[in-house]
Each structure stands twice: as structure tokens, then as C-alpha cells.
Amino acid sequence: MGGHGVVCLLLLLQVLAAASAGGGRWQEFLRLPSDSDERSDGTRWALLIAGSSGYYNYRHQADVCHAYQIMKKGGLKDENIVVMMYDDIAHSPDNPRPGIIINHPTGADVYAGVPKDYTGNDVNPNNFLAVLLGNRSALTGSGSGKVISSGPNDHVFVYYADHGGPGVLGMPGEEEVYLYANDVVKALKKKHEGKGYKSLVMYVEACESGSIFEGLLPSDIGVYATTASNAEESSWGTYCPGDDVGAPPPEYDTCLGDLYSVAWMEDADAHHNTRTAPETLRQQYAAVRDRTSANGTYVFGSHVMQYGDLALAPQSLDLYYMDTSTTSTSADVDEYLGVRGSANQRDADLVYMWRKYRKSREGTAEKAEARERLLREMARRSRLDTTVEKITGELMIGRRQFIRRRAAGQAVVDDWDCLKSMVRAYEMHCGSLGQYGMRHMRSFADVCNAGVQHHQMAEAASQACTTLLPNW
Ligand SMILES: *[C@@H]1O[C@H](CO)[C@@H](O)[C@H](O)[C@H]1NC(C)=O
Ligand SMILES: *[C@@H]1O[C@H](CO)[C@@H](O)[C@H](O)[C@H]1NC(C)=O
């Protein structure tokens, strides 16, 4: 940290020296953060949300904390940034650096200063939508009450990091854990109708995140979105234990970030640090797409997608969160470059459990417990996969023709209420799908697309789960 201070000071001195040599026109490129807030083109807002909890999901909250630091560097005011995160990482007993969160193997703390607007179970779909819509009276719980009360000249940036599945994003609480794609898009349309922004950019990191917008997000409501993956593939964690390149320090048994997320954030940091010409949305998309593709191999990588109003792509990121004219950061860019190893998002928690097991001392109760936990979780997943496959398989008998590939660009499902009710019917009898089980959302969607009725799902689930899984 001390080192950073020194670098900062040196940079500032260099800038001042260069400025006076160039005839004192330093205001042109040394703009103080406070100057950049008052934009003639409106206020900049950011909504940052991590949808998971648990130390094994360290990376999502680390991503969101890092994003907050980028917003601050870019000159946004705290009153215009809303952070939603469970907040159980920094002070987790598993955290080797108490009170500190990092998002890169050699990275500095990103937790300091992060506002705790909504934490714990207050991070839920209702509050996310209320915050996005700027509707204070729809909030529940005990959050800060901050919402995105943006107006027609404002620019809004939304970033979400977590697990997902076809048509759905996860939330960390105990009760409402699914944020469905149609509700996200409905809220965006409503905000547009209410003249709640001039333009809005949304970045989504999750498995199958393309399905949140594909066939759903209109191109004429001033929203530009990119996603970590297409509608049919996993997204990837990164800086994971055991990676050949970019492994975290040995005391960390968990992945420190997600590939798409660190790609856009390290790209942003690099631009802040070098104060190069402002980047456009399109340029950042291209950089992130290339890095997330794992050099075009898509092995441990995914297809970054863009949706919505692509005419916004030439916009400068300065409109949202960049401020390439500030001098507040170190010039240490090298550490940010290159592609690192990754773990499939859904398996990243198994990596954590496996590491715990490997590291515990032979013959101790801790080792036995870690082994139990890992085996239990693997068995649970295998049972869940079998159960969903059995139930949806039976319901689809004679209806296969309905799932033959929906046309590219079509949403996962037409009737979202049907999808929600199928999931509820399943969960009532078989227990929660949870963050792992969201991968099966497409099977539930297929069942709806094929015209299966709610009571048929309820019967099938009841039968399968009372016989297969007495102690779920
Ligand atoms: C805000 O939320 C409340 C409660 O859900 C709802 O009754 C009201 O219509 C919402 N206001 C707007 C402007 O959407
Ligand atoms: C990607 O390509 C670069 C440059 O060719 C190389 O240095 C790097 O190791 C490659 N990364 C992967 C994951 O293959």
C-alpha cells in the first residue's frame, strides 16, 4: 500500500512537470475527481450486485468490490453508487487476510470503503428491481434506502456477478433466490418508459448469461448489454487454486475472480492507470471477448455476447464509469495483462472443498469432515441431476418435437409464469435447485414450451422425490 502512495506521488509530479513544460495547460489532462462529477450530459449512476454468498463463492463479491473501486476511480460519487452484496467474505473465518478482499493474485485490497447498501438477505430480487427502478417504497428490509433515482439525462451502469442458468440469475438469500430474465427486462422497459435514463449499460457475469437478454431485450430502449457467456454455456472463474498461471497465494483455497469480470475490470484499470484515450463500449467488448475466449480456444473460456441497442457501442466509457484524466492510481499495468487459468463457475466451490480436504492434516477430524463434505456435495449434485432428468424426461415423453432447437435469438421460454410455477412445483417436493441446480432451468423451460401443466409437474415431482429422495 505504501508503495502505491509513492507511485502515485511520482506520477502526479511527472504530470505537473510535463504540464508546466507544455505551457501550463495542465487543466486539460489533470482534472480532479470533483470536477468530473458535474457533467453537462447528466449524472452517472452505478448498481453493483453480487448474487451469491459463502466463502467458496469469494470471487463474486471480490468482483463487485473491485467494480466499486473502479466506479470511484472514475469519479462517481457514493450517493450515485448502490452496492448489493451478502458481505460474508471479508470477515469469514476462512479468509486468510481478515478484513481484506482481493480480486487478483497480487492485487491490493478492494474491500475498503465499499458501501454496505444492501447486505445479507436484503440482497434479493425484489430489492434489486426496486433499486434499479428507483422505487424506495418497494424496498424491504434494512438497507441504506439508496436507489438509482436517475433522470432522463443520466447514464446508468449495472453490473451483476454470480451463478445463473438458462433464463435465470441467482440471489444469495434463503427465500427468493431466483431473478428471472423476463423480470429484469420488464424492469428495464419500465425504467425506459419512466424516462429513467438516457442510456443504460448492463454487464452480466453468470453461466448461460446470454439467456437473460436473448430474444428478450429490445434494441430501442437505450440499453446495451454484454454477457460473460452465450445462452448455452458456462462462464468461468479465474485465479483459481491449482492454476498453472495466475493461481492465488497458497493460503487461498478459493478462486479470486471470474474471467469475464476481471477482463473488463482489468481493462478499465489499465486505461485508468495509463490515462490513454477514452475507450468505447465496443473496444472494451472486443478486449473482454478476446480474453474471455481463452485465445479463441473456448477451453476454460466462453463466448462474450452483446445485446440490445448496438448503436450505443461507439459511446465512450467516460459516460458511465471511466475517467482517464484522473491521476489517482499506480501505473503498474503489467500485472494486469494476460490470460490466466480458470475453473468452470459451477465447479469452483468443489475446487474449494477439494483444497480444504487436501490441505487438512492426515488423520485429523478436520480431514474426515472435509472429505465428508466434498463427497456429500458431489452425491447431492448427482442426485439432483438424476431427479431433474428423470422427472422432465418422463413429462416430455411423446412431446420431444417441442424441444427441437428453438430458433436462434429466441428466449428460453415464452411463458415465464409457467417456468416459475414449474420450478416451484419441483422444489416443493424435491427441495431447492440452488445455485448448482439452476443449470437445469432449460429442462423446466422445455416442459413449459411443450405445454405440460403445473399439476403434471407436481405429480411427477411428488412421485419421484418421495420414492427417490426420502430425506432431501
Ligand atoms: C413502487 O412500488 C410500490 C410497491 O411495490 C408500487 O405500489 C408502486 O406502484 C411502485 N411505483 C412505481 C412508480 O412504479
Ligand atoms: C494466449 O496467447 C498469448 C499470446 O500468444 C500467450 O502468451 C498466452 O499464453 C496464451 N494464453 C493461453 C491461455 O493459451
mmCIF file of all heavy atoms in Angstrom, residues 49-85:
data_model
loop_
_atom_site.group_PDB
_atom_site.id
_atom_site.type_symbol
_atom_site.label_atom_id
_atom_site.label_comp_id
_atom_site.label_asym_id
_atom_site.label_seq_id
_atom_site.Cartn_x
_atom_site.Cartn_y
_atom_site.Cartn_z
ATOM 1 N N ILE A 49 -24.000 -5.598 -8.080
ATOM 2 C CA ILE A 49 -24.597 -6.636 -7.248
ATOM 3 C C ILE A 49 -23.909 -7.988 -7.398
ATOM 4 O O ILE A 49 -23.639 -8.434 -8.509
ATOM 5 C CB ILE A 49 -26.116 -6.768 -7.526
ATOM 6 C CG1 ILE A 49 -26.702 -7.935 -6.731
ATOM 7 C CG2 ILE A 49 -26.416 -6.916 -9.017
ATOM 8 C CD1 ILE A 49 -28.194 -7.976 -6.655
ATOM 9 N N ALA A 50 -23.614 -8.594 -6.249
ATOM 10 C CA ALA A 50 -23.111 -9.976 -6.223
ATOM 11 C C ALA A 50 -24.261 -10.850 -5.752
ATOM 12 O O ALA A 50 -24.860 -10.581 -4.707
ATOM 13 C CB ALA A 50 -21.925 -10.094 -5.270
ATOM 14 N N GLY A 51 -24.559 -11.893 -6.498
ATOM 15 C CA GLY A 51 -25.743 -12.695 -6.205
ATOM 16 C C GLY A 51 -25.484 -13.928 -5.359
ATOM 17 O O GLY A 51 -26.381 -14.742 -5.199
ATOM 18 N N SER A 52 -24.297 -14.072 -4.788
ATOM 19 C CA SER A 52 -24.021 -15.307 -4.040
ATOM 20 C C SER A 52 -23.582 -14.999 -2.622
ATOM 21 O O SER A 52 -23.343 -13.852 -2.253
ATOM 22 C CB SER A 52 -22.921 -16.112 -4.733
ATOM 23 O OG SER A 52 -21.687 -15.443 -4.611
ATOM 24 N N SER A 53 -23.469 -16.049 -1.828
ATOM 25 C CA SER A 53 -22.850 -15.954 -0.504
ATOM 26 C C SER A 53 -21.961 -17.176 -0.349
ATOM 27 O O SER A 53 -21.973 -18.077 -1.172
ATOM 28 C CB SER A 53 -23.921 -15.910 0.586
ATOM 29 O OG SER A 53 -24.688 -17.100 0.549
ATOM 30 N N GLY A 54 -21.197 -17.223 0.746
ATOM 31 C CA GLY A 54 -20.334 -18.374 1.012
ATOM 32 C C GLY A 54 -18.906 -18.119 0.563
ATOM 33 O O GLY A 54 -18.680 -17.549 -0.500
ATOM 34 N N TYR A 55 -17.958 -18.563 1.392
ATOM 35 C CA TYR A 55 -16.554 -18.301 1.087
ATOM 36 C C TYR A 55 -16.129 -18.923 -0.241
ATOM 37 O O TYR A 55 -15.319 -18.365 -0.964
ATOM 38 C CB TYR A 55 -15.668 -18.824 2.219
ATOM 39 C CG TYR A 55 -14.233 -18.442 2.026
ATOM 40 C CD1 TYR A 55 -13.805 -17.137 2.251
ATOM 41 C CD2 TYR A 55 -13.300 -19.377 1.574
ATOM 42 C CE1 TYR A 55 -12.491 -16.776 2.038
ATOM 43 C CE2 TYR A 55 -11.984 -19.023 1.366
ATOM 44 C CZ TYR A 55 -11.585 -17.720 1.596
ATOM 45 O OH TYR A 55 -10.284 -17.364 1.376
ATOM 46 N N TYR A 56 -16.713 -20.083 -0.556
ATOM 47 C CA TYR A 56 -16.356 -20.751 -1.817
ATOM 48 C C TYR A 56 -16.822 -19.942 -3.021
ATOM 49 O O TYR A 56 -16.421 -20.212 -4.141
ATOM 50 C CB TYR A 56 -16.923 -22.175 -1.853
ATOM 51 C CG TYR A 56 -18.365 -22.238 -1.424
ATOM 52 C CD1 TYR A 56 -19.392 -22.038 -2.336
ATOM 53 C CD2 TYR A 56 -18.690 -22.457 -0.093
ATOM 54 C CE1 TYR A 56 -20.716 -22.070 -1.925
ATOM 55 C CE2 TYR A 56 -20.009 -22.481 0.329
ATOM 56 C CZ TYR A 56 -21.004 -22.288 -0.599
ATOM 57 O OH TYR A 56 -22.307 -22.290 -0.199
ATOM 58 N N ASN A 57 -17.682 -18.954 -2.800
ATOM 59 C CA ASN A 57 -18.089 -18.030 -3.865
ATOM 60 C C ASN A 57 -17.374 -16.672 -3.726
ATOM 61 O O ASN A 57 -17.857 -15.655 -4.231
ATOM 62 C CB ASN A 57 -19.595 -17.788 -3.822
ATOM 63 C CG ASN A 57 -20.381 -18.942 -4.390
ATOM 64 O OD1 ASN A 57 -19.983 -19.533 -5.392
ATOM 65 N ND2 ASN A 57 -21.504 -19.276 -3.757
ATOM 66 N N TYR A 58 -16.256 -16.675 -3.006
ATOM 67 C CA TYR A 58 -15.450 -15.477 -2.763
ATOM 68 C C TYR A 58 -15.432 -14.540 -3.970
ATOM 69 O O TYR A 58 -15.584 -13.325 -3.865
ATOM 70 C CB TYR A 58 -14.029 -15.957 -2.472
ATOM 71 C CG TYR A 58 -12.999 -14.910 -2.102
ATOM 72 C CD1 TYR A 58 -12.599 -14.758 -0.783
ATOM 73 C CD2 TYR A 58 -12.373 -14.109 -3.073
ATOM 74 C CE1 TYR A 58 -11.618 -13.846 -0.435
ATOM 75 C CE2 TYR A 58 -11.406 -13.188 -2.725
ATOM 76 C CZ TYR A 58 -11.024 -13.060 -1.407
ATOM 77 O OH TYR A 58 -10.066 -12.141 -1.065
ATOM 78 N N ARG A 59 -15.242 -15.140 -5.156
ATOM 79 C CA ARG A 59 -14.943 -14.354 -6.354
ATOM 80 C C ARG A 59 -16.037 -13.357 -6.744
ATOM 81 O O ARG A 59 -15.725 -12.281 -7.246
ATOM 82 C CB ARG A 59 -14.653 -15.291 -7.527
ATOM 83 C CG ARG A 59 -15.820 -16.176 -7.900
ATOM 84 C CD ARG A 59 -15.373 -17.316 -8.830
ATOM 85 N NE ARG A 59 -16.521 -18.097 -9.265
ATOM 86 C CZ ARG A 59 -17.110 -19.018 -8.501
ATOM 87 N NH1 ARG A 59 -16.661 -19.260 -7.279
ATOM 88 N NH2 ARG A 59 -18.146 -19.691 -8.952
ATOM 89 N N HIS A 60 -17.317 -13.696 -6.508
ATOM 90 C CA HIS A 60 -18.372 -12.783 -6.961
ATOM 91 C C HIS A 60 -18.354 -11.479 -6.160
ATOM 92 O O HIS A 60 -18.478 -10.390 -6.717
ATOM 93 C CB HIS A 60 -19.756 -13.434 -6.835
ATOM 94 C CG HIS A 60 -19.874 -14.715 -7.610
ATOM 95 N ND1 HIS A 60 -20.365 -15.877 -7.063
ATOM 96 C CD2 HIS A 60 -19.543 -15.007 -8.881
ATOM 97 C CE1 HIS A 60 -20.339 -16.830 -7.978
ATOM 98 N NE2 HIS A 60 -19.839 -16.330 -9.086
ATOM 99 N N GLN A 61 -18.203 -11.592 -4.848
ATOM 100 C CA GLN A 61 -18.164 -10.370 -4.046
ATOM 101 C C GLN A 61 -16.846 -9.630 -4.275
ATOM 102 O O GLN A 61 -16.810 -8.399 -4.238
ATOM 103 C CB GLN A 61 -18.406 -10.692 -2.563
ATOM 104 C CG GLN A 61 -19.831 -11.211 -2.322
ATOM 105 C CD GLN A 61 -20.165 -11.394 -0.855
ATOM 106 O OE1 GLN A 61 -20.121 -10.448 -0.071
ATOM 107 N NE2 GLN A 61 -20.502 -12.618 -0.482
ATOM 108 N N ALA A 62 -15.769 -10.403 -4.531
ATOM 109 C CA ALA A 62 -14.494 -9.744 -4.863
ATOM 110 C C ALA A 62 -14.660 -8.939 -6.158
ATOM 111 O O ALA A 62 -14.205 -7.791 -6.251
ATOM 112 C CB ALA A 62 -13.383 -10.788 -5.010
ATOM 113 N N ASP A 63 -15.331 -9.519 -7.146
ATOM 114 C CA ASP A 63 -15.578 -8.814 -8.410
ATOM 115 C C ASP A 63 -16.333 -7.497 -8.145
ATOM 116 O O ASP A 63 -15.992 -6.441 -8.687
ATOM 117 C CB ASP A 63 -16.468 -9.655 -9.349
ATOM 118 C CG ASP A 63 -15.777 -10.915 -9.884
ATOM 119 O OD1 ASP A 63 -14.540 -10.958 -9.925
ATOM 120 O OD2 ASP A 63 -16.519 -11.857 -10.256
ATOM 121 N N VAL A 64 -17.364 -7.594 -7.323
ATOM 122 C CA VAL A 64 -18.221 -6.426 -7.102
ATOM 123 C C VAL A 64 -17.484 -5.337 -6.313
ATOM 124 O O VAL A 64 -17.616 -4.147 -6.596
ATOM 125 C CB VAL A 64 -19.549 -6.858 -6.451
ATOM 126 C CG1 VAL A 64 -20.237 -5.695 -5.769
ATOM 127 C CG2 VAL A 64 -20.460 -7.464 -7.520
ATOM 128 N N CYS A 65 -16.678 -5.752 -5.334
ATOM 129 C CA CYS A 65 -15.881 -4.759 -4.592
ATOM 130 C C CYS A 65 -14.919 -4.049 -5.544
ATOM 131 O O CYS A 65 -14.740 -2.832 -5.491
ATOM 132 C CB CYS A 65 -15.093 -5.437 -3.474
ATOM 133 S SG CYS A 65 -16.129 -6.008 -2.125
ATOM 134 N N HIS A 66 -14.286 -4.827 -6.409
ATOM 135 C CA HIS A 66 -13.355 -4.257 -7.384
ATOM 136 C C HIS A 66 -14.099 -3.260 -8.291
ATOM 137 O O HIS A 66 -13.605 -2.160 -8.567
ATOM 138 C CB HIS A 66 -12.742 -5.402 -8.198
ATOM 139 C CG HIS A 66 -11.648 -4.993 -9.144
ATOM 140 N ND1 HIS A 66 -10.973 -5.897 -9.913
ATOM 141 C CD2 HIS A 66 -11.133 -3.776 -9.456
ATOM 142 C CE1 HIS A 66 -10.075 -5.250 -10.663
ATOM 143 N NE2 HIS A 66 -10.154 -3.959 -10.404
ATOM 144 N N ALA A 67 -15.298 -3.664 -8.716
ATOM 145 C CA ALA A 67 -16.084 -2.776 -9.586
ATOM 146 C C ALA A 67 -16.367 -1.450 -8.872
ATOM 147 O O ALA A 67 -16.313 -0.377 -9.485
ATOM 148 C CB ALA A 67 -17.396 -3.450 -9.987
ATOM 149 N N TYR A 68 -16.648 -1.538 -7.573
ATOM 150 C CA TYR A 68 -16.884 -0.303 -6.815
ATOM 151 C C TYR A 68 -15.651 0.610 -6.872
ATOM 152 O O TYR A 68 -15.772 1.829 -7.092
ATOM 153 C CB TYR A 68 -17.244 -0.622 -5.355
ATOM 154 C CG TYR A 68 -17.211 0.608 -4.488
ATOM 155 C CD1 TYR A 68 -18.264 1.520 -4.512
ATOM 156 C CD2 TYR A 68 -16.104 0.902 -3.686
ATOM 157 C CE1 TYR A 68 -18.226 2.684 -3.756
ATOM 158 C CE2 TYR A 68 -16.052 2.056 -2.927
ATOM 159 C CZ TYR A 68 -17.112 2.944 -2.961
ATOM 160 O OH TYR A 68 -17.066 4.094 -2.230
ATOM 161 N N GLN A 69 -14.464 0.013 -6.688
ATOM 162 C CA GLN A 69 -13.236 0.824 -6.705
ATOM 163 C C GLN A 69 -13.068 1.502 -8.078
ATOM 164 O O GLN A 69 -12.607 2.638 -8.173
ATOM 165 C CB GLN A 69 -11.999 -0.033 -6.388
ATOM 166 C CG GLN A 69 -12.072 -0.808 -5.067
ATOM 167 C CD GLN A 69 -12.210 0.074 -3.827
ATOM 168 O OE1 GLN A 69 -11.947 1.285 -3.871
ATOM 169 N NE2 GLN A 69 -12.631 -0.513 -2.707
ATOM 170 N N ILE A 70 -13.464 0.791 -9.127
ATOM 171 C CA ILE A 70 -13.364 1.369 -10.476
ATOM 172 C C ILE A 70 -14.327 2.548 -10.638
ATOM 173 O O ILE A 70 -13.976 3.582 -11.217
ATOM 174 C CB ILE A 70 -13.623 0.278 -11.532
ATOM 175 C CG1 ILE A 70 -12.447 -0.687 -11.543
ATOM 176 C CG2 ILE A 70 -13.850 0.875 -12.916
ATOM 177 C CD1 ILE A 70 -12.648 -1.917 -12.386
ATOM 178 N N MET A 71 -15.538 2.400 -10.092
ATOM 179 C CA MET A 71 -16.511 3.498 -10.172
ATOM 180 C C MET A 71 -15.952 4.730 -9.450
ATOM 181 O O MET A 71 -16.075 5.857 -9.921
ATOM 182 C CB MET A 71 -17.856 3.109 -9.528
ATOM 183 C CG MET A 71 -18.539 1.903 -10.136
ATOM 184 S SD MET A 71 -18.917 2.071 -11.890
ATOM 185 C CE MET A 71 -18.097 0.614 -12.551
ATOM 186 N N LYS A 72 -15.328 4.489 -8.279
ATOM 187 C CA LYS A 72 -14.778 5.607 -7.507
ATOM 188 C C LYS A 72 -13.638 6.276 -8.270
ATOM 189 O O LYS A 72 -13.555 7.499 -8.344
ATOM 190 C CB LYS A 72 -14.267 5.103 -6.148
ATOM 191 C CG LYS A 72 -15.354 4.730 -5.192
ATOM 192 C CD LYS A 72 -16.206 5.936 -4.789
ATOM 193 C CE LYS A 72 -15.491 6.762 -3.723
ATOM 194 N NZ LYS A 72 -16.385 7.870 -3.277
ATOM 195 N N LYS A 73 -12.766 5.442 -8.821
ATOM 196 C CA LYS A 73 -11.653 5.984 -9.614
ATOM 197 C C LYS A 73 -12.181 6.801 -10.772
ATOM 198 O O LYS A 73 -11.579 7.789 -11.184
ATOM 199 C CB LYS A 73 -10.822 4.830 -10.196
ATOM 200 C CG LYS A 73 -9.543 4.557 -9.460
ATOM 201 C CD LYS A 73 -8.662 3.649 -10.302
ATOM 202 C CE LYS A 73 -8.711 2.223 -9.799
ATOM 203 N NZ LYS A 73 -7.892 1.288 -10.593
ATOM 204 N N GLY A 74 -13.321 6.356 -11.308
ATOM 205 C CA GLY A 74 -13.902 7.037 -12.449
ATOM 206 C C GLY A 74 -14.619 8.309 -12.063
ATOM 207 O O GLY A 74 -15.142 9.017 -12.923
ATOM 208 N N GLY A 75 -14.678 8.591 -10.745
ATOM 209 C CA GLY A 75 -15.235 9.864 -10.306
ATOM 210 C C GLY A 75 -16.709 9.830 -9.936
ATOM 211 O O GLY A 75 -17.301 10.884 -9.674
ATOM 212 N N LEU A 76 -17.325 8.656 -9.870
ATOM 213 C CA LEU A 76 -18.715 8.622 -9.407
ATOM 214 C C LEU A 76 -18.758 8.905 -7.907
ATOM 215 O O LEU A 76 -17.830 8.566 -7.175
ATOM 216 C CB LEU A 76 -19.353 7.252 -9.681
ATOM 217 C CG LEU A 76 -19.961 7.064 -11.069
ATOM 218 C CD1 LEU A 76 -18.877 6.937 -12.126
ATOM 219 C CD2 LEU A 76 -20.853 5.823 -11.100
ATOM 220 N N LYS A 77 -19.830 9.526 -7.479
ATOM 221 C CA LYS A 77 -19.996 9.805 -6.048
ATOM 222 C C LYS A 77 -20.703 8.634 -5.373
ATOM 223 O O LYS A 77 -21.544 7.980 -6.002
ATOM 224 C CB LYS A 77 -20.859 11.045 -5.851
ATOM 225 C CG LYS A 77 -20.242 12.322 -6.354
ATOM 226 C CD LYS A 77 -21.254 13.450 -6.125
ATOM 227 C CE LYS A 77 -20.786 14.750 -6.725
ATOM 228 N NZ LYS A 77 -21.884 15.724 -6.821
ATOM 229 N N ASP A 78 -20.408 8.444 -4.097
ATOM 230 C CA ASP A 78 -21.060 7.349 -3.371
ATOM 231 C C ASP A 78 -22.580 7.443 -3.430
ATOM 232 O O ASP A 78 -23.265 6.429 -3.464
ATOM 233 C CB ASP A 78 -20.607 7.326 -1.905
ATOM 234 C CG ASP A 78 -19.341 6.496 -1.734
ATOM 235 O OD1 ASP A 78 -19.027 5.707 -2.648
ATOM 236 O OD2 ASP A 78 -18.674 6.637 -0.691
ATOM 237 N N GLU A 79 -23.091 8.650 -3.431
ATOM 238 C CA GLU A 79 -24.554 8.777 -3.448
ATOM 239 C C GLU A 79 -25.158 8.264 -4.751
ATOM 240 O O GLU A 79 -26.359 8.041 -4.818
ATOM 241 C CB GLU A 79 -24.954 10.242 -3.214
ATOM 242 C CG GLU A 79 -24.562 11.144 -4.355
ATOM 243 C CD GLU A 79 -24.566 12.638 -3.994
ATOM 244 O OE1 GLU A 79 -23.921 12.987 -2.986
ATOM 245 O OE2 GLU A 79 -25.204 13.405 -4.718
ATOM 246 N N ASN A 80 -24.305 8.078 -5.756
ATOM 247 C CA ASN A 80 -24.794 7.579 -7.048
ATOM 248 C C ASN A 80 -24.389 6.129 -7.321
ATOM 249 O O ASN A 80 -24.546 5.627 -8.424
ATOM 250 C CB ASN A 80 -24.298 8.462 -8.193
ATOM 251 C CG ASN A 80 -24.718 9.905 -8.032
ATOM 252 O OD1 ASN A 80 -23.882 10.798 -7.995
ATOM 253 N ND2 ASN A 80 -26.006 10.135 -7.870
ATOM 254 N N ILE A 81 -23.807 5.489 -6.301
ATOM 255 C CA ILE A 81 -23.415 4.080 -6.467
ATOM 256 C C ILE A 81 -24.175 3.253 -5.440
ATOM 257 O O ILE A 81 -24.166 3.567 -4.252
ATOM 258 C CB ILE A 81 -21.905 3.871 -6.206
ATOM 259 C CG1 ILE A 81 -21.059 4.831 -7.054
ATOM 260 C CG2 ILE A 81 -21.507 2.429 -6.477
ATOM 261 C CD1 ILE A 81 -19.567 4.794 -6.711
ATOM 262 N N VAL A 82 -24.841 2.204 -5.871
ATOM 263 C CA VAL A 82 -25.514 1.302 -4.940
ATOM 264 C C VAL A 82 -24.835 -0.062 -5.012
ATOM 265 O O VAL A 82 -24.694 -0.634 -6.093
ATOM 266 C CB VAL A 82 -27.012 1.147 -5.269
ATOM 267 C CG1 VAL A 82 -27.683 0.225 -4.266
ATOM 268 C CG2 VAL A 82 -27.703 2.506 -5.291
ATOM 269 N N VAL A 83 -24.373 -0.563 -3.852
ATOM 270 C CA VAL A 83 -23.719 -1.863 -3.804
ATOM 271 C C VAL A 83 -24.604 -2.849 -3.050
ATOM 272 O O VAL A 83 -25.057 -2.571 -1.939
ATOM 273 C CB VAL A 83 -22.338 -1.776 -3.111
ATOM 274 C CG1 VAL A 83 -21.697 -3.163 -3.034
ATOM 275 C CG2 VAL A 83 -21.423 -0.818 -3.854
ATOM 276 N N MET A 84 -24.855 -3.981 -3.674
ATOM 277 C CA MET A 84 -25.620 -5.045 -3.023
ATOM 278 C C MET A 84 -24.721 -6.277 -2.945
ATOM 279 O O MET A 84 -24.334 -6.828 -3.967
ATOM 280 C CB MET A 84 -26.886 -5.371 -3.831
ATOM 281 C CG MET A 84 -27.773 -4.161 -4.116
ATOM 282 S SD MET A 84 -29.290 -4.575 -5.042
ATOM 283 C CE MET A 84 -30.316 -5.296 -3.764
ATOM 284 N N MET A 85 -24.337 -6.674 -1.738
ATOM 285 C CA MET A 85 -23.544 -7.901 -1.574
ATOM 286 C C MET A 85 -23.812 -8.503 -0.202
ATOM 287 O O MET A 85 -24.072 -7.786 0.755
ATOM 288 C CB MET A 85 -22.056 -7.628 -1.767
ATOM 289 C CG MET A 85 -21.462 -6.617 -0.815
ATOM 290 S SD MET A 85 -19.754 -6.247 -1.262
ATOM 291 C CE MET A 85 -18.894 -7.180 -0.003
#
